[in-house]
Amino acid sequence: MKIFSVVTLLLWSSFIFSSAPIRAAEKKLNVLFIAVDDLRPELGCYGVPTIKSPNIDALAKSGLLFNRAYCQQAVCSPSRTSLLTGRRPDTTKIYNLQDHFRQTIPDVVTLPQHFKNNGYFCQSFGKIYHIGLDDPKSWSAPSFGSGGDGSSKNPKPKKAAAKKSDEKNSGRGPAWESRTVADNELPDGQVADAALKVLGDVKDKPFFLAVGFHKPHLPFIAPQKYYDLYRADEMRLAKNPSPPKDVFPIALTDWGELRSYSGIPKTGPIPDDMARDLIRGYYAATSYTDAQIGRLLAELKRLDLRENTIVILWGDHGWQLGEHGLWSKHTNFEIATRSMLMISIPGQKQRGAKTDALVEFVDVYPTLCELAGLPLTDGLEGKSFAPLIANPKLPWKQAAFSQYPRGKLMGHSMRTDRYRYTEWAMPGERLEGMELYDHKKDPDENVNIANLPKNKKLVAELSEQLRKGWKAASPATVKN
């Protein structure tokens, strides 16, 4: 275990903070850790003005936004496990939604557990770990609403008021629905209420509060007023609704998650009108969650805690809204692995900046430790991106790594500055298939060029880089 010296901490504080570095060293910085389920980086602050996300946009203006942040696996539990343990899926052995990391790495010290061990009050609200897979060791008090739809209770609507899918409810019910209810009559509003109450209770002690919002995860349920922000006929369909040319077939998915909802075709594509309704529902659910985040940030300011609290906001992976004819996540494509991430710290000099540096979710653990002046635990497989807060243009990682299993095959994917390269193989056996996308010429990943003879040398170079892995791709400027 490596521990910062007092001198190092003071020097770092004066580098990052514009005022009172002694105060930062003397008083522990709080952490407000906000997770959003299935929220892809499609917001006003990411250059998509169609989305009404004023509160997230305001947070971005106060901090640093990451244009190229990547999850380790584009599905909820493996992604969250990697971020919260600081370890990659091939280390955690968590590739699905059923297994718990305490079965595979029982002695690991999680990110919130580490803060708890260092004198912080730690509690979670809503979905932080995956549903049904909470980790009591991580928290100082029982989690609120860690099951079901993101709450300990799931209220019934007073009235269903907007267009639903036209099939009678069966199975999971409709995939989208507006309701004539107040925000806190739905689970995410209740999560915000609970977090606000505890925030007031613990304002005088160092805290790590993890608040996880379930929407825009399916089903896209939100109060009517958020649906009113959007018109279905104005929703733009994906510009690349076909699979990539020459794609390795197993890279695709039949998006069974969405098909399990009533009214959704069991086979084949989504009709355009239905696709527009789904996109509208996704956007409405996003705006609903944005409002709950705004409530948290407003209360933080009201309690005079903003200047002593690190705020980090992340979406656990991307989400496909018809790109390549796909919906949901569960792939290695850029649209599924690229994730929303931003951080704001007290006294930050570079406010409202954006960085194109390649960062990964395993980097969050060491970053928060460094910013809070905590020692790093052993076994972390990410690198602190704290230096980017001071200099967003700093040369950084050569690559970010993701993966996704398909039956007996594992697809290991690497995003470099220009390329996404993926190999599909059974562990320890011969290569079954490859994908290569040139983001300079083909940013939407529409043509797989891995099998072109002219790219044989490039593929060999990328394959070697993939096999060398994350350690070789880490920035030399940061040392654990």
Side-chain angles (χ1 to χ4, degrees):
M1 184 178 292
K2 186 174 181 180
I3 302 176
F4 286 109
S5 68
V6 174
V7 173
T8 301
L9 178 57
L10 289 174
L11 287 173
W12 172 246
S13 297
S14 62
F15 182 54
I16 289 289
F17 298 94
S18 60
S19 62
I22 300 297
R23 182 195 66 181
E26 291 177 347
K27 187 174 183 179
K28 292 181 178 179
L29 292 175
N30 306 310
V31 178
L32 180 59
F33 181 89
I34 307 173
V36 185
D37 206 353
D38 283 8
L39 179 59
R40 73 190 208 168
E42 188 162 330
L43 302 156
C45 53
Y46 277 96
V48 186
T50 305
I51 306 288
K52 306 300 188 294
S53 52
N55 298 292
I56 296 177
D57 297 347
L59 178 62
K61 289 180 180 178
S62 74
L64 176 64
L65 180 148
F66 295 85
N67 283 323
R68 298 197 294 180
Y70 295 90
C71 68
Q72 269 47 74
Q73 187 177 322
V75 68
C76 299
S77 187
S79 174
R80 292 164 183 263
T81 296
S82 283
L83 189 150
L84 289 158
T85 64
R87 290 157 172 80
R88 298 167 190 271
D90 281 341
T91 297
T92 67
K93 303 301 180 185
I94 300 302
Y95 307 112
N96 58 40
L97 305 183
Q98 292 78 42
D99 296 331
H100 198 291
F101 62 85
R102 291 292 177 193
Q103 300 169 336
T104 56
I105 44 173
D107 298 324
V108 69
V109 177
T110 68
L111 171 61
Q113 183 182 2
H114 186 48
F115 273 76
K116 184 184 73 170
N117 293 346
N118 281 274
Y120 281 72
F121 174 85
C122 298
Q123 190 172 3
S124 78
F125 307 83
K127 185 176 178 181
I128 298 300
Y129 293 102
H130 189 62
I131 293 169
L133 297 174
D134 194 22
D135 180 53
K137 290 183 179 180
S138 293
W139 313 115
S140 309
S143 300
F144 173 87
S146 59
D149 195 21
S151 176
S152 56
K153 55 182 179 179
N154 294 298
K156 295 181 180 179
K158 289 182 177 179
K159 180 182 178 183
K163 181 179 179 181
K164 303 179 185 180
S165 51
D166 56 8
E167 184 178 307
K168 290 183 179 179
N169 290 4
S170 63
R172 287 186 171 185
W176 72 92
E177 180 183 356
S178 74
R179 295 182 177 178
T180 52
V181 296
D183 284 16
N184 62 2
E185 291 183 74
L186 293 176
D188 280 338
Q190 296 168 1
V191 166
D193 282 352
L196 291 175
K197 181 182 183 304
V198 172
L199 187 60
D201 293 341
V202 302
K203 63 181 181 355
D204 296 322
K205 63 178 70 172
F207 61 77
F208 182 112
L209 296 187
V211 186
F213 294 110
H214 197 69
K215 301 305 170 190
H217 191 287
L218 284 165
F220 305 142
I221 297 173
Q224 178 68 46
K225 61 183 177 182
Y226 300 105
Y227 270 83
D228 290 342
L229 297 173
Y230 307 97
R231 287 177 47 182
D233 60 359
E234 294 178 345
M235 298 296 97
R236 297 180 62 181
L237 300 177
K239 60 184 179 181
N240 56 339
S242 300
K245 182 181 178 182
D246 295 328
V247 67
F248 186 59
I250 207 169
L252 304 173
T253 173
D254 194 39
W255 36 280
E257 179 183 11
L258 177 58
R259 293 194 193 278
S260 67
Y261 287 85
S262 63
I264 304 299
K266 300 304 179 186
T267 60
I270 293 285
D272 286 354
D273 286 347
M274 182 179 288
R276 290 187 179 93
D277 282 328
L278 285 165
I279 294 169
R280 181 194 182 204
Y282 184 89
Y283 287 1
T286 295
S287 292
Y288 170 52
T289 290
D290 176 81
Q292 310 319 305
I293 291 171
R295 295 174 62 201
L296 291 178
L297 298 176
E299 184 67 0
L300 202 66
K301 183 176 180 180
R302 189 187 73 81
L303 294 172
D304 293 326
L305 293 170
R306 188 65 184 88
E307 293 307 314
N308 196 46
T309 302
I310 300 165
V311 180
I312 185 166
L313 173 64
W314 55 283
D316 54 357
H317 40 67
W319 217 83
Q320 288 143 165
L321 286 169
E323 292 86 3
H324 301 315
L326 304 175
W327 295 82
S328 305
K329 49 270 188 181
H330 310 110
T331 74
N332 275 325
F333 293 118
E334 180 85 358
I335 199 71
T337 57
R338 179 172 169 256
S339 306
M340 188 271 294
L341 177 66
M342 62 186 68
I343 190 168
S344 177
I345 66 174
Q348 190 169 334
K349 293 180 180 181
Q350 296 273 3
R351 292 182 180 272
K354 298 181 180 182
T355 179
D356 290 328
L358 296 169
V359 298
E360 304 173 272
F361 276 3
V362 286
D363 301 335
V364 169
Y365 192 145
T367 300
L368 291 179
C369 288
E370 183 167 356
L371 293 175
L374 301 187
L376 297 181
T377 58
D378 294 330
L380 297 181
E381 295 178 345
K383 295 289 186 180
S384 170
F385 53 67
L388 290 170
I389 299 173
N391 182 1
K393 297 185 181 300
L394 197 66
W396 208 243
K397 288 188 177 184
Q398 297 175 20
F401 298 84
S402 304
Q403 60 188 100
Y404 207 91
R406 286 276 191 269
K408 294 181 179 180
L409 297 186
M410 178 65 75
H412 285 97
S413 189
M414 178 180 68
R415 177 64 158 92
T416 69
D417 182 61
R418 179 169 177 173
Y419 299 103
R420 174 169 295 283
Y421 176 71
T422 304
E423 291 187 347
W424 295 91
M426 290 183 64
E429 298 191 15
R430 69 181 180 85
L431 189 63
E432 297 287 339
M434 302 175 296
E435 296 171 80
L436 174 60
Y437 303 99
D438 183 347
H439 275 254
K440 184 176 181 180
K441 298 179 179 179
D442 180 24
D444 296 322
E445 299 185 344
N446 292 327
V447 182
N448 175 23
I449 58 174
N451 298 312
L452 297 180
K454 68 178 182 179
N455 291 326
K456 184 176 181 179
K457 181 179 178 182
L458 173 61
V459 167
E461 292 171 351
L462 291 170
S463 179
E464 182 180 4
Q465 185 178 358
L466 176 64
R467 293 170 192 279
K468 286 181 178 179
W470 63 271
K471 291 183 180 180
S474 295
T477 52
V478 182
K479 297 180 181 180
N480 276 355

